[in-house]
Amino acid sequence: MATQQGRHFLHIPGPSPIPDRVLRAMDMPIIDHRSAEFARLGKTVLEGCKAVFKTGQPVVIYPSSGTGAWEAAIVNTLSSGDTVLMAETGHFATLWRQIAARFGVNVDFIPGDWRRGADPAAIEARLVADKAHTIKAVMVVHNETSTGSTSRIAEIRKAIDTAGHPALFMVDTISSLASVDYRHDEWQVDVTVSGSQKGLMLPPGLSFNAVSEKAMAASKTNTLPRSYWDWQEMVKINANGFFPYTPATNLLYGLREALAMLQEEGLDTVFARHQRLAAATRAAVKAWGLEVLCENPAEQSPVLTAVMMPPSHSADRYRKITLEKYNISLGSGLGKVADKVFRIGHLGECNELMLLGALSGVEMGLAAAGVPHRSGGVMAAMAALEARDDGNQAPAAAVA
């Protein structure tokens, strides 16, 4: 393929584009990870992460992908033979189920059609029926990256409480943290799982567990083996800003800068920006005459939009043509929706003009690939963006 001029448009749902500030922050010589200088860095990022998770509890940082953080959540809280409750919201919920099963954990998997988030009422019904309290944890994906559906975490917390069930509550925020409003302490989440390459605007390579007192207590009595993932060892050494093994120092430099950027913009403003861009994207999809995969408007993701292809048209072929002609990467369909949808990422470092450029590439690609559609999606997105005169500012109540 001939070399294309200009910047590549990366609009997959993560890894997201890395801001120049973060790239420059990582461009540093390596330092001694047992030095006082490193301890200052470690304490800064460990404390700074708490604001993003909205917690006063420990946040553990691993040099790993988000899959490692999933495994850490399991091996620190559960024992072989335990039962957990999960909801089939998409590809990544299914993967979390598979990891749990490999550790001998029994998964009660509430079936879903991949077009909605987890159903709080269905979770409550399962917990009410569990009179013997055999279910040890409820595990939910907040933002299902494969489908563009979010789950209503506050309502699920209420469902657990209404059922009077003592199960731990674990939530995957790998693609929602720092992009969608999330409240670890207020929603009484016991383990929040996340990763660096989405809303935190970093390369892949860091993962996170935010851990409640209840989850930490469970880690002292559960029986699954762990060494690398052990919270007890991590939290003990983190107290002084260090890690029990060689950390990803330069990624931590990037994390420090990314946290600063989020605080400068203000988290509520960040969330409002994502909602605004997502609404414009959905306006474009509607104008094209295509269908958003997520059926419930209240659950449509601020992070990405999954778009269904017309029958007999290949999403993968469309993505290939669009990449080759217009130098834009769009997310592929995964699992049950492979080759049936394409995904537009609008998360992390993204603003109005970046989104409109991406939507222009999507619309030109539809024409180039011969996908039946109406023109005017980009104009509809512009109109949606112009309809609000508050820019990307947070709602007044949030600012106050």
Side-chain angles (χ1 to χ4, degrees):
M1 184 169 61
T3 300
Q4 295 174 305
Q5 297 301 320
R7 177 165 288 191
H8 175 67
F9 274 61
L10 181 68
H11 281 271
I12 61 175
S16 64
I18 304 172
D20 288 342
R21 275 180 62 177
V22 173
L23 287 171
R24 289 194 296 269
M26 293 189 296
D27 185 15
M28 294 283 287
I30 201 74
I31 62 172
D32 176 7
H33 59 286
R34 300 289 179 239
S35 66
E37 181 182 1
F38 181 88
R40 289 191 291 271
L41 171 65
K43 287 181 178 179
T44 297
V45 295
L46 287 163
E47 189 63 30
C49 284
K50 293 180 180 180
V52 181
F53 285 91
K54 296 189 178 179
T55 183
Q57 301 301 314
V59 176
V60 176
I61 303 174
Y62 296 104
S64 80
S65 69
T67 305
W70 277 352
E71 183 166 321
I74 292 166
V75 299
N76 278 285
T77 58
L78 301 170
S79 301
S80 181
D82 281 351
T83 297
V84 299
L85 181 62
M86 302 180 71
E88 184 191 7
T89 52
H91 181 69
F92 291 97
T94 303
L95 290 180
W96 204 1
R97 174 196 188 184
Q98 292 171 359
I99 293 173
R102 288 173 184 168
F103 283 99
V105 173
N106 302 312
V107 181
D108 182 355
F109 204 46
I110 300 173
D113 62 4
W114 290 39
R115 301 199 67 180
R116 291 176 174 268
D119 182 357
I123 290 173
E124 181 179 335
R126 284 287 213 282
L127 295 177
V128 168
D130 181 32
K131 303 298 185 183
H133 293 167
T134 58
I135 295 172
K136 302 301 181 184
V138 175
M139 302 164 73
V140 177
V141 175
H142 184 204
N143 184 82
E144 179 54 73
T145 326
S146 64
T147 66
S149 297
T150 56
S151 290
R152 292 163 281 160
I153 302 303
E155 292 182 36
I156 295 171
R157 174 72 261 176
K158 184 178 179 181
I160 297 171
D161 292 343
T162 300
H165 202 287
L168 293 167
F169 190 21
M170 303 190 197
V171 179
D172 169 355
T173 67
I174 290 173
S175 63
S176 60
L177 187 75
S179 299
V180 186
D181 188 18
Y182 184 77
R183 309 174 189 187
H184 177 88
D185 284 358
E186 182 180 331
W187 295 339
Q188 299 175 58
V189 180
D190 293 299
V191 186
T192 298
V193 171
S194 202
S196 58
Q197 73 274 21
K198 309 272 188 177
L200 288 176
M201 304 175 289
L202 290 162
L206 295 179
S207 67
F208 307 85
N209 280 173
V211 184
S212 74
E213 291 182 1
K214 181 178 175 182
M216 193 64 73
S219 74
K220 295 177 181 178
T221 59
N222 80 306
T223 60
L224 281 178
R226 66 271 190 184
S227 174
Y228 184 86
W229 307 114
D230 190 5
W231 290 341
Q232 302 296 329
E233 187 69 14
M234 287 286 279
V235 170
K236 180 174 63 176
I237 296 179
N238 284 170
N240 295 316
F242 297 113
F243 292 76
Y245 33 68
T246 307
T249 305
N250 288 56
L251 284 175
L252 296 179
Y253 280 131
L255 176 59
R256 181 173 63 184
E257 191 68 22
L259 292 171
M261 291 177 67
L262 290 168
Q263 292 304 320
E264 289 165 14
E265 186 176 358
L267 283 175
D268 289 321
T269 306
V270 171
F271 303 148
R273 170 167 56 85
H274 282 76
Q275 291 281 5
R276 176 176 161 81
L277 299 179
T281 303
R282 293 192 293 270
V285 174
K286 182 177 180 181
W288 290 324
L290 301 178
E291 187 177 355
V292 173
L293 180 61
C294 180
E295 290 182 315
N296 183 357
E299 295 177 334
Q300 289 172 342
S301 172
V303 169
L304 75 138
T305 300
V307 184
M308 299 178 66
M309 291 295 282
S312 77
H313 286 268
S314 164
D316 290 343
R317 175 180 175 273
Y318 161 73
R319 290 173 49 253
K320 181 176 184 292
I321 291 172
T322 305
L323 173 63
E324 291 175 349
K325 290 185 68 70
Y326 304 117
N327 200 20
I328 178 172
S329 291
L330 300 168
S332 63
L334 301 171
K336 290 182 179 181
V337 294
D339 203 30
K340 297 177 182 177
V341 306
F342 65 91
R343 297 175 296 153
I344 306 170
H346 32 76
L347 71 158
E349 189 187 42
C350 189
N351 62 23
E352 289 86 349
L353 293 184
M354 294 167 71
L355 177 68
L356 290 172
L359 295 178
S360 296
V362 171
E363 185 162 339
M364 290 189 294
L366 291 171
V371 178
H373 72 290
R374 298 190 297 264
S375 62
V378 177
M379 295 298 293
M382 290 174 63
L385 292 169
E386 292 167 356
R388 289 176 51 180
D389 59 8
D390 57 353
N392 289 326
Q393 298 304 305
V399 173

